[in-house]
Amino acid sequence: MTVASLRPRMRASVLLALLLPLAAWATPWTASVDERNGLPSVTRGGGPAMVARFDFWGSDWSWTGMGTEFKVDGPFQYSLKGKNPQLEFDLTATIAKPQAQTLSWDFDLDAHRDKSGVMGGGMVFTFDPSLFKDMGEPALLPGNRGWAWGNGPRRVEMRFEPGLAKVYFERGDTSEVRAFFYTDPIRGGQQQIKATLNVTGDIELAPTPSERFGLADPATWPDDQLPWRTSPVDLSFLNAGEKPAGKRGFVKAVGEQLQFADNTPVRFWGTNLAAYALFTTPDEEVKLQAKRLSALGFNLVRLHHHDSPWVSPNVFGEPKSLRNTRELSAEALKKLDWWIKCLKDEGIYVWLDMHVERVVTAGDDIYAFDELAKGEQYAGIKGYAYVNVTVQQAMKRFAQQYLTHVNSFTGLAYKDDPAIAAVLITNENDVTQHFGNALLPDKGVPLHTRLYMDQAKAFAARSQLPADKTWRAWEPGPGKLFLNDLEHRFNVDMIEHLRGLGVKVPIVTTSTWGGNGLAALPALTTGNLIDAHSYGGIGQLEKNPLTSDGMVHWLGAAQVVGLPMTVTEWNAEPFPLPDRHSLPLYVAATASHQGWAAIMQYAYSQQAFLEGWRRADNWNAYNDPAMMATMPAAALLYRREDVHLAKTRYVFAPTPAQLFGKAITPANSVMLRTAMEKGRLQVAMPQTPELPWLQPAVVPQDAQLLSDPDQALLESTASESVTDTGEIRRNWQQGLYTLDTPLTQAATGWLGGHPVKLAAIEVQLQTPYASVVVQSLEAKPLGQSRHLLISLGSRAVPRPEDVTPFHVEPLQGSLSIAAPAGLKLYSRSAEGKESTLPAAYKDGHYLITFDGQHMANWLFLK
């Protein structure tokens, strides 16, 4: 993960997805109020049609912060407060629904004094241009009174009275409208503005997520019962045959799967340990956490943010006192040694990153350091590493020191330890989309730009491509060919160095992430695995694949024919999403159906395992009763392959012109989204004369070839999908997701008032949104098993200031399970003490009743 918990992990490419309300209504079009900022948003099939944000600027378009506080006062009744310290004004608003298809905002603005020499600002409305074919382009209302969108019965209008200071299209781009409260100068004093959103046709006004999930006060819910040192669930039997990790020899990539040296196939269900968790956790806690990780079902841990400058100490020592990064801290290495030793003892493998956010200093003798540092003591290396040989040398020096370091507890160098499952060269550091732009002529790094431009010219000449197009990192076409070649040559050099050091396990170059299209994949094939990252937003189960992309679609689009696929990071944000307990099931079942080789949640912890450090946030799942509620169930179903591999293989075989000449992504390709809803999706690399190193795919004979990114594999009127195995059903209109296999049966989503009946279980809940999973802990199917694990997930909300323990929403309703007679229902305390619970037995079924007062995430029927 590139951005630390100290900063919001927001990228422009995924901003729209993070700002959406849920949409699970009969019509695919809804309008609502965004709880993040109190502004309107419009969705189509769960995907963004229009979103809005506040933006204000000082002098020379310097961005100014606008903090907002949104509150749901009642059904369709909201209030909003905001402050802009730099421009010195306050904003308040009351928001209501005066009519069936109308939302209104009564804004009060109070500028504390006159302010000149500033740009001002207000609201920015962003529209999905792919909808312009049907909706037309937005039009501005006269008199700076807003905008309207829609050329038929379906129409959206945002009107302001009185007219605003300025309303205009950004640089002539009709997909972005800027509506300014203030321009230069800002006049001190108060003003009132009424804004009205009117929608017509089949657009419905939807409640906010808080309203849909229920407006109960979380403070009335019971505290979570999740112990942070132990686990009431014990799946360590899954690792029993692998103790110590590495006993079967080194991991290797064979075709599209991972195997041990003895040819035993392996699937890895993993997580990330990062930052302070690595270096500040006491040794005795490390051992406890390794045991807990095994009990929760993990068999792989990625060590991450070991080199990041915001982590103190990190692998180099204390960042503030470093003159250079030429030496590694012996103390830090000993902490990593101990983590690896303890994880290995529990049958858990380790993934090592060679570079996450490491910076270089003036003492590292980096070519053109001053232009990278821009007056600072340190400089980042992402992007620059691809053209700067001295940066590459620094990376190689680190890799040599890190991988040849002998673990003081195992006696093995990291490179020689078969408990190390894989090595990543550089984290989230591609030039094919993200960091190639850092080298362009307008970025103020002329010496690095010259290195970049020289290589672009040489590639253009060698490949007979137009030189004036080849350097353009931001455009599809020749530039994507060059960037892939640039990244490939860097990868080859780094891989040769790692192999020369004696690294035996699979090597990953970097990951596809943050909106990367398929054009980022070719360079990744230089490694032994394809790795992907994806972070979703709220309502993933409700994404209509015919119109909208979800987090799993971005992962699925990274699966290349002939190579195993791994996921070193998945999660959703912003924290705490009320539906996050659905994600482990959704990711694990999808991964099992698609045949992905390793899955790692981000993150088990970034904070040290110390009582005083325990806080709730998105990067510390270990103490989150919502995320952890279904994590063991997900581990079990994925590692046992309870959800079977797809019967159908869909292979998208783009031509070079498609792959490099078009920005194909899950956001704009209905084929990529719908194919994996039914069968297994893979992407075939084409033979490309300009890239002689790119190995063309050998497409399996049983594959169904796809060539049109716009081809939908579902009916246009579909409201749900069922996988070709019949085991996974997702109804995006209702927001329901079910798994029905012999050993695992589960229902998650909007279960309240929607009874779900599967082969051996029946769920009837009043709680609006929940997860219920029943699994056999034996090799016997449900209905015959005498040892069952029941996992229950619901909303979990931390106390103010992210203090734990969480408040956990208690379930209300019932669960019926088919099972042999003579079993008893138990709960298990943090200390491991079992308590018997009532469960009626009739006609071969146990009936468990949830009283809406108490909550346990795990129950046992045995």
Side-chain angles (χ1 to χ4, degrees):
M1 176 182 168
T2 303
V3 183
S5 60
L6 304 178
R7 296 173 290 168
R9 185 188 175 92
M10 298 292 292
R11 304 189 185 98
S13 58
V14 296
L15 180 59
L16 292 178
L18 300 182
L19 298 179
L20 299 177
L22 296 172
W25 307 88
T27 172
W29 285 83
T30 64
S32 185
V33 178
D34 177 3
E35 292 191 5
R36 293 174 62 89
N37 55 27
L39 294 179
S41 69
V42 179
T43 70
R44 174 176 177 257
M50 185 283 294
V51 295
R53 68 183 188 272
F54 286 114
D55 264 341
F56 294 89
W57 294 271
S59 60
D60 298 324
W61 293 101
S62 59
W63 186 81
T64 66
M66 176 71 179
T68 57
E69 179 183 337
F70 176 82
K71 182 181 178 183
V72 179
D73 300 316
F76 288 104
Q77 295 180 351
Y78 320 108
S79 56
L80 175 68
K81 295 180 181 179
K83 288 183 179 293
N84 190 304
Q86 292 96 325
L87 299 185
E88 300 184 66
F89 73 86
D90 300 333
L91 175 152
T92 62
T94 57
I95 308 165
K97 178 188 173 185
Q99 299 178 33
Q101 288 185 296
T102 301
L103 289 169
S104 66
W105 285 255
D106 288 313
F107 287 106
D108 286 292
L109 292 105
D110 183 4
H112 302 168
R113 63 183 181 89
D114 289 357
K115 206 167 185 68
S116 60
V118 298
M119 309 311 298
M123 292 165 285
V124 177
F125 301 90
T126 305
F127 303 82
D128 182 354
S130 70
L131 300 176
F132 289 0
K133 180 179 180 181
D134 296 325
M135 291 284 289
E137 296 182 359
L140 302 183
L141 301 180
N144 289 326
R145 279 177 163 77
W147 53 264
W149 186 33
N151 53 16
R154 183 188 300 124
R155 190 171 185 271
V156 186
E157 180 187 272
M158 190 75 184
R159 180 176 290 272
F160 298 92
E161 295 292 348
L164 300 182
K166 188 177 183 180
V167 179
Y168 67 102
F169 290 117
E170 167 60 10
R171 297 179 182 176
D173 178 4
T174 55
S175 68
E176 183 172 303
V177 172
R178 294 188 171 189
F180 277 25
F181 292 131
Y182 295 119
T183 54
D184 186 29
I186 295 176
R187 297 299 184 188
Q190 297 180 343
Q191 60 173 311
Q192 288 77 43
I193 296 171
K194 187 175 186 67
T196 306
L197 181 80
N198 290 294
V199 298
T200 62
D202 60 352
I203 306 177
E204 294 186 9
L205 294 188
T208 65
S210 291
E211 294 172 272
R212 292 187 66 196
F213 280 92
L215 296 177
D217 181 3
T220 65
W221 298 342
D223 288 348
D224 75 72
Q225 301 300 307
L226 179 66
W228 65 278
R229 285 189 170 104
T230 59
S231 170
V233 177
D234 187 1
L235 301 183
S236 60
F237 64 87
L238 294 172
N239 293 342
E242 302 303 326
K243 293 184 179 181
K247 64 183 294 183
R248 298 182 187 274
F250 290 96
V251 173
K252 58 183 179 179
V254 180
E256 295 171 350
Q257 68 174 197
L258 295 176
Q259 295 180 2
F260 294 121
D262 66 358
N263 298 326
T264 303
V266 59
R267 278 186 175 184
F268 288 112
W269 178 257
T271 187
N272 284 255
L273 280 167
Y276 296 97
L278 299 175
F279 302 112
T280 318
T281 301
D283 287 352
E284 62 273 16
E285 291 293 345
V286 170
K287 197 167 186 177
L288 286 173
Q289 289 301 319
K291 289 182 178 296
R292 186 175 188 259
L293 283 160
S294 180
L296 290 167
F298 295 106
N299 64 337
L300 179 63
V301 164
R302 179 185 183 217
L303 305 185
H304 194 60
H305 278 310
H306 58 297
D307 62 354
S308 298
W310 55 269
V311 181
S312 181
N314 63 21
V315 73
F316 298 107
E318 297 289 346
K320 292 183 179 179
S321 62
L322 291 178
R323 292 187 175 183
N324 60 63
T325 58
R326 292 176 173 273
E327 301 294 334
L328 307 187
S329 163
E331 184 178 354
L333 286 171
K334 193 167 185 179
K335 296 297 290 187
L336 296 175
D337 290 348
W338 183 239
W339 268 113
I340 292 171
K341 155 70 173 170
C342 292
L343 292 168
K344 180 174 182 173
D345 286 347
E346 298 301 327
I348 299 174
Y349 288 76
V350 174
W351 176 296
L352 293 180
D353 293 349
M354 296 300 100
H355 167 241
V356 182
E357 280 187 354
R358 178 256 186 99
V359 295
V360 291
T361 73
D364 286 317
D365 294 331
I366 299 299
Y367 171 74
F369 173 81
D370 289 344
E371 73 176 25
L372 301 183
K374 301 186 185 303
E376 298 294 329
Q377 186 178 357
Y378 306 107
I381 62 175
K382 290 194 174 182
Y384 310 119
Y386 288 94
V387 297
N388 189 324
V389 173
T390 60
V391 171
Q392 296 167 14
Q393 290 169 343
M395 295 177 72
K396 290 177 181 177
R397 183 169 60 244
F398 172 83
Q400 180 172 358
Q401 292 174 316
Y402 197 45
L403 292 170
T404 62
H405 164 71
V406 176
N407 188 316
S408 55
F409 301 103
T410 67
L412 294 172
Y414 291 173
K415 68 181 180 66
D416 296 324
D417 192 341
I420 305 302
V423 168
L424 174 76
I425 294 173
T426 180
N427 177 68
E428 292 188 352
N429 180 18
D430 63 274
V431 287
T432 49
Q433 175 165 318
H434 292 91
F435 294 102
N437 294 324
L439 301 165
L440 298 179
D442 63 343
K443 295 303 187 292
V445 286
L447 295 175
H448 286 80
T449 297
R450 180 177 178 180
L451 295 172
Y452 171 81
M453 296 296 284
D454 286 347
Q455 295 209 41
K457 291 175 184 176
F459 179 80
R462 186 167 67 248
S463 305
Q464 298 182 333
L465 292 171
D468 61 336
K469 297 284 188 181
T470 304
W471 66 273
R472 294 171 174 255
W474 67 95
E475 288 183 350
K480 297 303 179 186
L481 289 163
F482 162 61
L483 292 169
N484 270 281
D485 190 70
L486 178 65
E487 191 170 309
H488 164 76
R489 285 184 283 113
F490 168 86
N491 291 336
V492 168
D493 184 47
M494 287 294 174
I495 290 172
E496 288 179 352
H497 179 255
L498 293 174
R499 293 299 182 206
L501 294 176
V503 174
K504 305 171 185 65
V505 295
I507 295 173
V508 186
T509 58
T510 191
S511 308
T512 179
W513 65 287
N516 271 350
L518 299 191
L521 295 177
L524 302 185
T525 66
T526 313
N528 304 117
L529 312 172
I530 301 294
D531 186 64
H533 296 173
S534 185
Y535 286 76
I538 199 168
Q540 291 299 307
L541 299 184
E542 297 163 277
K543 298 289 187 181
N544 180 347
L546 292 163
T547 60
S548 307
D549 54 298
M551 59 179 288
V552 300
H553 300 128
W554 287 89
L555 297 175
Q559 190 164 217
V560 173
V561 171
L563 290 170
M565 197 192 97
T566 62
V567 177
T568 46
E569 295 183 29
W570 67 264
N571 204 334
E573 50 193 348
F575 181 82
L577 288 182
D579 59 352
R580 63 191 185 279
H581 54 83
S582 291
L583 293 178
L585 298 172
Y586 188 27
V587 171
T590 302
S592 192
H593 181 248
Q594 295 295 313
W596 300 342
I599 311 295
M600 285 153 270
Q601 181 268 349
Y602 195 91
Y604 185 73
S605 185
Q606 283 191 169
Q607 61 187 217
F609 295 99
L610 294 167
E611 183 64 49
W613 279 46
R614 287 202 299 140
R615 288 292 184 273
D617 74 29
N618 212 37
W619 322 123
N620 299 300
Y622 79 98
N623 65 1
D624 179 359
M627 186 64 83
M628 295 309 300
T630 54
M631 198 71 79
L636 192 60
L637 75 88
Y638 173 76
R639 292 183 60 185
R640 286 194 315 198
E641 302 183 40
D642 292 358
V643 172
H644 292 92
L645 183 67
K647 299 177 181 178
T648 312
R649 187 195 301 254
Y650 296 107
V651 173
F652 176 45
T655 64
Q658 284 178 310
L659 184 59
F660 300 102
K662 298 179 180 180
I664 301 175
T665 76
N668 59 34
S669 171
V670 65
M671 178 272 295
L672 292 176
R673 300 191 300 264
T674 55
M676 63 180 298
E677 296 282 337
K678 297 175 64 177
R680 187 184 191 190
L681 171 67
Q682 295 181 304
V683 181
M685 293 294 102
Q687 186 165 9
T688 306
E690 296 86 352
L691 304 177
W693 50 264
L694 182 59
Q695 296 295 314
V698 178
V699 179
Q701 291 185 348
D702 64 347
Q704 294 189 28
L705 278 178
L706 305 172
S707 58
D708 182 3
D710 298 324
Q711 176 189 353
L713 278 74
L714 296 171
E715 294 295 328
S716 61
T717 57
S719 60
E720 69 174 15
S721 62
V722 181
T723 57
D724 57 3
T725 62
E727 295 173 333
I728 305 175
R729 181 182 298 268
R730 184 167 75 91
N731 187 311
W732 47 86
Q733 192 172 96
Q734 294 180 335
L736 290 175
Y737 185 79
T738 60
L739 307 175
D740 199 346
T741 78
L743 297 178
T744 292
Q745 292 175 27
T748 185
W750 294 102
L751 299 179
H754 291 92
V756 173
K757 186 173 184 179
L758 304 175
I761 72 170
E762 186 170 356
V763 181
Q764 297 192 48
L765 295 183
Q766 286 78 57
T767 308
Y769 198 101
S771 296
V772 178
V773 192
V774 181
Q775 294 174 294
S776 170
L777 293 178
E778 303 178 293
K780 295 180 180 179
L782 296 176
Q784 300 176 27
S785 175
R786 300 185 64 85
H787 193 182
L788 304 177
L789 168 64
I790 303 165
S791 302
L792 306 171
S794 62
R795 280 187 292 174
V797 180
R799 284 165 164 72
E801 306 299 324
D802 292 329
V803 171
T804 60
F806 289 73
H807 297 299
V808 181
E809 183 178 23
L811 296 186
Q812 186 169 6
S814 64
L815 168 63
S816 173
I817 305 173
L823 307 183
K824 291 185 178 181
L825 184 68
Y826 297 90
S827 65
R828 191 173 292 156
S829 70
E831 296 76 25
K833 181 181 178 181
E834 292 187 340
S835 301
T836 305
L837 300 175
Y841 187 70
K842 184 179 179 181
D843 299 329
H845 290 76
Y846 291 87
L847 182 65
I848 303 170
T849 302
F850 308 115
D851 63 6
Q853 302 295 319
H854 304 87
M855 183 62 186
N857 291 122
W858 299 293
L859 301 175
F860 306 88
L861 192 60
K862 59 181 181 176

